[in-house]
Amino acid sequence: MIEDRHIGLAYGNGGRLTRTLIEELFALHLANDELDVGLDAAPMHLPEGMVPMITTDGFTVQPLEFPGGDIGSLAVNGTVNDLAVSGATPLYMTLNAFIEEGFEVETLERLVQSVAAAARLAGVKIVAGDTKVLPRGQGGGLYLATTGVGMRPADLQLGLGRIAVGDRILVSGPVGDHGIAVMLAREAFDLKGPVQSDCAPVNHLTAALSEVAGLKFMRDPTRGGLATVAHEIAMATSTTVRLKETDVPVQDPVKSVCDMLGYDPYYLACEGRVVAIVAPGAADSAFAALKRTPGGEGAAIIGTIEQGRAQVLLETEIGGSRVLDELEDDPLPRIC
Amino acid sequence: MIEDRHIGLAYGNGGRLTRTLIEELFALHLANDELDVGLDAAPMHLPEGMVPMITTDGFTVQPLEFPGGDIGSLAVNGTVNDLAVSGATPLYMTLNAFIEEGFEVETLERLVQSVAAAARLAGVKIVAGDTKVLPRGQGGGLYLATTGVGMRPADLQLGLGRIAVGDRILVSGPVGDHGIAVMLAREAFDLKGPVQSDCAPVNHLTAALSEVAGLKFMRDPTRGGLATVAHEIAMATSTTVRLKETDVPVQDPVKSVCDMLGYDPYYLACEGRVVAIVAPGAADSAFAALKRTPGGEGAAIIGTIEQGRAQVLLETEIGGSRVLDELEDDPLPRIC
């Protein structure tokens, strides 16, 4: 039992309290048949004939809990989703926690339980971890970092290099929910409630897309949102990425908040969406694959890869078009 | 070129400045033939017939630079060493950076160069990374997290469960250097200079030990030092771990500082040492293997696993013995 109500510096010293924190809070909730906190390094059982993939991500979201998620579920889904969009099935994960001195044990426990629930949902096992305690005033409460290992079929070829003029662009659901949900949770606005973060694992969506012949590229539009993914594609392929405003799904409450506060939903982070590029003839089957998969009900075909200068064009509702430039200032810091 | 002299919040937004930071600072220095910053997840080439191992560690050392190392070399060696003592050859690594708003670009560049140099020395490739920028006053300058993947021979069986009464304990060099070097760098004492951190990769030492028949267990005595490793062994095996004070190597300047300030060198962190447990008949060959490997010149046989209650006994110079209890308070916070 952890006797203190708040984490003190001594919980990071490697001695008795560190052991208590790891055994009776982290390992207790993250337990799985391959987690052994007594090891310096954990063995992984990786299926043969597939390509092992690795990715890592840091999380500093503020507030730590928001409608639809928290830093714990975000830390699992962020890394699961980076593996998923690279075509890999996520299998193993590691977890780093940087805890600020004075952090409430009860809150920490709730967030670690959220990590555990998200890991179970995504089907990954957390097999290694580390905790550090930061002196009061140098930590922002809690920061997490996760690293994930997954396996990709050897014959699944995805990449920016496969994209060609004529390809279609899809998104698995409405954009901007996560950004707005976190922003509303942070501010004192009387707008709380209507918007929930889309924070979720996308590995079932990417698995469904991977069955579609003609799938070329997938990415999760996190920091910088849909516009940033579109911009990366335009730059890497020297094409014009044309998006149609009327086709890009944005939920009404997100639209309202954006209109009111001057945000552009296309630059806001999603944490449970996939952007996919497919060959022209594969758009309908990719759309159908998303639609029939849980989490993909709001999918849409939103644009086309066109010949032209490297840029992102948004065809507006009234028939004009505006350029979506690369993101400069940060509209919403610490969203992930 | 990064035009700013200090990292602003917008370097963490996923847009142009994030791309600049990643491409022109991190990727520039960490470049290797398998690093591609355009990927969501990186493929790993893992040799078949061996066991893939994973480990992770966070780093919050203060000050960021100290005699003999810095947070960059520490972050690489800490994770390399956890793989090494588990019997694995380190191959791949991921890097998370949490950078405080206002951090000097020049210092960041120097530290990332140190990461790169340490990775080259240890023979690991950094293939994935992530950067986050923390609001001023919530970051402590720079925190790093590293995750490493290595391969262990399938027939190398190491573990606390293999330790038996009569086994001998070795250490690869003097203890406490890292802890004292960081402490002196932090304080305004006029004692700077004589003590350098032992921060170094131990994978050559563990490879040499792995050739010794009778090797049972290895661990790097980091947070909590030699006493904490000895304590873990005593608890896990229900034996008395007896260490001989006159045999445990401690450098004279470390001894002096400890005497002066009331620290116990056995609880101070090392970042380039290995503790090894071997069968009784293997002590001499393990000692010889360490002695002939660079970094192991100061090796010593320091104790024995004995029947008795689970405790760590230090046989003192004057013939008595004192119990080394499990670490309670933190003698030196933020040492790693």
Side-chain angles (χ1 to χ4, degrees), chain B residues 28-191:
Chain B
L28 180 73
H29 295 299
L30 302 177
N32 63 68
D33 58 351
E34 297 190 54
L35 177 63
D36 177 352
V37 295
L39 298 177
D40 282 299
M44 296 187 286
H45 298 91
L46 303 177
E48 282 178 26
M50 300 179 82
V51 182
M53 306 286 289
I54 191 165
T55 190
T56 196
D57 218 341
F59 300 88
T60 66
V61 68
Q62 227 13 284
L64 298 171
E65 298 173 289
F66 45 83
D70 54 51
I71 194 172
S73 56
L74 197 61
V76 172
N77 291 330
T79 282
V80 160
N81 293 351
D82 278 346
L83 288 171
V85 295
S86 75
T89 303
L91 295 178
Y92 291 101
M93 196 173 278
T94 66
L95 177 70
N96 297 88
F98 296 90
I99 310 165
E100 187 180 3
E101 180 187 9
F103 197 69
E104 273 195 7
V105 172
E106 192 183 321
T107 309
L108 184 62
E109 184 147 37
R110 198 163 60 238
L111 295 171
V112 172
Q113 285 173 323
S114 172
V115 168
R120 273 193 299 275
L121 186 65
V124 292
K125 288 177 181 172
I126 294 172
V127 288
D130 184 64
T131 62
K132 289 286 181 295
V133 180
L134 308 169
R136 198 183 298 272
Q138 294 183 31
L142 179 70
Y143 304 136
L144 298 178
T146 50
T147 302
V149 171
M151 300 302 281
R152 194 194 71 196
D155 59 353
L156 182 62
Q157 301 291 335
L158 300 175
L160 288 164
R162 297 199 56 220
I163 298 174
V165 167
D167 286 351
R168 305 302 307 276
I169 309 164
L170 294 91
V171 67
S172 65
V175 301
D177 298 16
H178 176 74
I180 291 299
V182 171
M183 193 272 292
L184 291 180
R186 190 185 301 167
E187 306 295 341
F189 294 130
D190 244 356
L191 297 162

Side-chain angles (χ1 to χ4, degrees), chain B:
Chain B
M1 256 290 289
I2 298 180
E3 285 154 26
D4 297 305
R5 284 188 49 208
H6 298 90
I7 298 293
L9 271 185
Y11 280 87
N13 71 359
R16 185 178 67 85
L17 292 174
T18 304
R19 184 170 55 76
T20 309
L21 177 64
I22 291 171
E23 289 176 0
E24 296 176 18
L25 199 155
F26 282 92
L28 180 73
H29 295 299
L30 302 177
N32 63 68
D33 58 351
E34 297 190 54
L35 177 63
D36 177 352
V37 295
L39 298 177
D40 282 299
M44 296 187 286
H45 298 91
L46 303 177
E48 282 178 26
M50 300 179 82
V51 182
M53 306 286 289
I54 191 165
T55 190
T56 196
D57 218 341
F59 300 88
T60 66
V61 68
Q62 227 13 284
L64 298 171
E65 298 173 289
F66 45 83
D70 54 51
I71 194 172
S73 56
L74 197 61
V76 172
N77 291 330
T79 282
V80 160
N81 293 351
D82 278 346
L83 288 171
V85 295
S86 75
T89 303
L91 295 178
Y92 291 101
M93 196 173 278
T94 66
L95 177 70
N96 297 88
F98 296 90
I99 310 165
E100 187 180 3
E101 180 187 9
F103 197 69
E104 273 195 7
V105 172
E106 192 183 321
T107 309
L108 184 62
E109 184 147 37
R110 198 163 60 238
L111 295 171
V112 172
Q113 285 173 323
S114 172
V115 168
R120 273 193 299 275
L121 186 65
V124 292
K125 288 177 181 172
I126 294 172
V127 288
D130 184 64
T131 62
K132 289 286 181 295
V133 180
L134 308 169
R136 198 183 298 272
Q138 294 183 31
L142 179 70
Y143 304 136
L144 298 178
T146 50
T147 302
V149 171
M151 300 302 281
R152 194 194 71 196
D155 59 353
L156 182 62
Q157 301 291 335
L158 300 175
L160 288 164
R162 297 199 56 220
I163 298 174
V165 167
D167 286 351
R168 305 302 307 276
I169 309 164
L170 294 91
V171 67
S172 65
V175 301
D177 298 16
H178 176 74
I180 291 299
V182 171
M183 193 272 292
L184 291 180
R186 190 185 301 167
E187 306 295 341
F189 294 130
D190 244 356
L191 297 162
K192 285 196 181 71
V195 185
Q196 295 250 323
S197 166
D198 51 281
C199 181
V202 301
N203 50 337
H204 299 108
L205 294 167
T206 55
L209 284 169
S210 297
E211 304 282 306
V212 176
L215 175 69
K216 299 190 164 188
F217 177 77
M218 299 187 285
R219 180 147 288 174
D220 51 334
T222 57
R223 273 190 290 187
L226 173 63
T228 297
V229 173
H231 200 269
E232 277 179 68
I233 294 169
M235 291 301 125
T237 59
S238 297
T239 59
T240 292
V241 174
R242 180 181 296 272
L243 302 174
K244 219 171 153 184
E245 190 168 31
T246 48
D247 291 340
V248 180
V250 182
Q251 299 209 61
D252 284 338
V254 171
K255 230 179 252 174
S256 310
V257 174
C258 283
D259 284 349
M260 216 178 316
L261 301 175
Y263 291 122
D264 189 333
Y266 308 116
Y267 289 93
L268 298 181
C270 310
E271 290 290 347
R273 305 291 180 224
V274 185
V275 173
I277 311 288
V278 301
D284 290 341
S285 50
F287 177 69
L290 286 172
K291 279 289 206 185
R292 67 169 171 260
T293 306
E297 300 83 357
I301 302 171
I302 60 172
T304 314
I305 306 293
E306 294 183 355
Q307 200 133 30
R309 56 176 290 224
Q311 63 178 349
V312 182
L313 283 184
L314 183 75
E315 212 177 294
T316 60
E317 209 169 338
I318 53 167
S321 75
R322 67 177 168 106
V323 175
L324 296 182
D325 276 324
E326 189 170 17
L327 187 61
E328 280 282 336
D329 276 338
D330 200 347
L332 288 173
R334 294 189 66 186
I335 220 70
C336 60

Side-chain angles (χ1 to χ4, degrees), chain A residues 43-254:
Chain A
M44 296 187 286
H45 299 91
L46 303 178
E48 282 180 25
M50 300 179 82
V51 181
M53 306 287 289
I54 191 165
T55 190
T56 196
D57 218 340
F59 300 87
T60 67
V61 67
Q62 224 19 278
L64 298 171
E65 297 171 290
F66 45 83
D70 55 50
I71 194 171
S73 57
L74 196 62
V76 172
N77 291 330
T79 283
V80 160
N81 292 352
D82 279 345
L83 287 171
V85 296
S86 76
T89 303
L91 295 178
Y92 291 102
M93 196 173 279
T94 66
L95 176 71
N96 298 88
F98 296 90
I99 310 164
E100 186 179 4
E101 180 187 9
F103 197 69
E104 271 195 9
V105 172
E106 193 183 320
T107 309
L108 183 63
E109 184 145 37
R110 201 163 58 238
L111 294 171
V112 172
Q113 284 171 325
S114 173
V115 167
R120 272 193 300 273
L121 187 64
V124 292
K125 288 176 182 174
I126 294 173
V127 288
D130 185 64
T131 62
K132 289 287 182 292
V133 180
L134 307 168
R136 198 182 299 271
Q138 295 183 30
L142 179 69
Y143 303 136
L144 297 178
T146 49
T147 301
V149 171
M151 299 302 280
R152 194 194 71 196
D155 59 353
L156 182 62
Q157 301 290 334
L158 300 175
L160 289 165
R162 296 199 56 220
I163 298 173
V165 167
D167 286 352
R168 305 302 305 276
I169 308 165
L170 294 93
V171 68
S172 66
V175 300
D177 299 14
H178 176 74
I180 292 297
V182 171
M183 192 271 293
L184 291 180
R186 190 185 303 167
E187 307 294 342
F189 294 129
D190 244 355
L191 296 162
K192 284 193 182 73
V195 186
Q196 293 250 323
S197 168
D198 51 280
C199 182
V202 300
N203 49 338
H204 299 107
L205 294 167
T206 56
L209 285 169
S210 298
E211 304 283 304
V212 175
L215 175 69
K216 299 190 162 188
F217 176 78
M218 298 187 285
R219 180 148 288 174
D220 50 334
T222 56
R223 273 191 291 188
L226 174 63
T228 298
V229 173
H231 200 270
E232 277 180 68
I233 294 170
M235 291 299 125
T237 59
S238 297
T239 59
T240 293
V241 174
R242 181 180 295 272
L243 303 174
K244 220 171 152 183
E245 191 169 31
T246 48
D247 292 340
V248 180
V250 183
Q251 300 208 61
D252 285 337
V254 172

